[in-house]
Amino acid sequence: VCAQVRLVLDQEAVISRDAFKASLEIINNADTPLQGVSIEVVARDGSGQIATDLFGIAAPALVNLSGVDGTGRVEADSTGTATWTLLPSADAAPDQPQTYYVGGTLRYSSEGAVVTVPLTAVPITVYPNPRLFVKYFHQRDVFSDDPFTDLVEPIVPFNLAVLVQNRGLGVAKNVRITSAQPKIVENEKGLLVDFQIIGTEVAGQNLTPSLTAGFGEIGAGETAIGR
């Protein structure tokens, strides 16, 4: 009599995203500190319209600079640096590469005088993002030894396949899927169930048995298969 069990497999899919780094170096050769430092980063499209909302901008990494929100300080005879990471959204280049210009404004006070410096815009090119769709295929029936007979029936390997489709216009880079150990969450007949990973295969190429399958790059419109 066949027994039915319920299997859960947790997996995580990871890809590399394109991002941009913007750095600003403030050299203070004076004998007094620069105070009230604020830096505004602005992105504009080709027509000069502000497009900053199309980018995710993380808080900057600071060196010898206490802040960029109007409370920053660069000590005398030192150099302060701020580095931002800009992550473009899917709307920044929905169907073809787009050029943006990243600049902004630097403000600070020195010996009581407020100074405003416009930052020269630098062009960057944003490419369309990939759009990944993942489908799973698995066998309905699993065959193994029947514990109620003296004959030891052969254990038949169980196949779990994954199909990854890139329906976007960008290249998906460094794609990998990491699996947790499969778990039985419903087992009414109390079967003794164990798992052993005996092989991992991507695009027909055998890999070291592993819970991680590396697909590499998946181009626009391409499909990759792992097993």
Side-chain angles (χ1 to χ4, degrees):
V1 177
C2 289
Q4 184 171 333
V5 299
R6 189 176 176 198
L7 176 71
V8 168
L9 179 64
D10 291 328
Q11 292 196 319
E12 181 180 58
V14 180
I15 66 173
S16 294
R17 287 286 307 276
D18 289 330
F20 299 89
K21 280 193 173 182
S23 297
L24 180 64
E25 191 175 80
I26 304 172
I27 302 174
N28 182 14
N29 291 325
D31 296 330
T32 57
L34 304 181
Q35 303 184 67
V37 176
S38 69
I39 305 171
E40 180 185 15
V41 177
V42 176
R44 296 181 183 272
D45 60 20
S47 61
Q49 299 298 313
I50 294 179
T52 311
D53 59 346
L54 296 178
F55 295 83
I57 304 178
L62 304 177
V63 178
N64 296 329
L65 175 59
S66 59
V68 295
D69 57 354
T71 63
R73 181 183 176 97
V74 179
E75 298 297 334
D77 197 25
S78 66
T79 299
T81 303
T83 303
W84 294 263
T85 298
L86 289 77
L87 187 65
S89 69
D91 293 331
D95 51 16
Q96 61 183 355
Q98 298 288 340
T99 300
Y100 293 89
Y101 299 86
V102 179
T105 305
L106 165 66
R107 295 183 178 87
Y108 63 89
S109 62
S110 176
E111 298 181 342
V114 177
V115 180
T116 301
V117 181
L119 304 176
T120 302
V122 176
I124 60 174
T125 302
V126 179
Y127 291 88
N129 282 333
R131 295 174 62 235
L132 298 184
F133 291 77
V134 181
K135 295 182 179 180
Y136 289 96
F137 303 89
H138 62 82
Q139 296 176 208
R140 185 189 65 177
D141 300 327
V142 183
F143 300 95
S144 185
D145 176 46
D146 184 348
F148 300 106
T149 64
D150 294 331
L151 178 65
V152 178
E153 288 86 3
I155 296 175
V156 179
F158 170 82
N159 282 298
L160 172 67
V162 58
L163 183 147
V164 184
Q165 296 176 306
N166 182 4
R167 300 180 189 173
L169 298 176
V171 177
K173 302 177 181 178
N174 299 320
V175 181
R176 66 181 186 274
I177 295 180
T178 301
S179 302
Q181 186 72 10
K183 295 180 181 179
I184 294 293
V185 295
E186 287 184 12
N187 188 4
E188 294 181 358
K189 294 185 179 294
L191 301 180
L192 296 176
V193 181
D194 194 11
F195 300 95
Q196 179 182 2
I197 305 296
I198 63 172
T200 303
E201 182 181 286
V202 173
Q205 301 296 318
N206 291 325
L207 307 175
T208 302
S210 170
L211 289 172
T212 299
F215 293 86
E217 288 192 356
I218 304 178
E222 293 183 355
T223 298
I225 299 175
R227 185 170 70 93

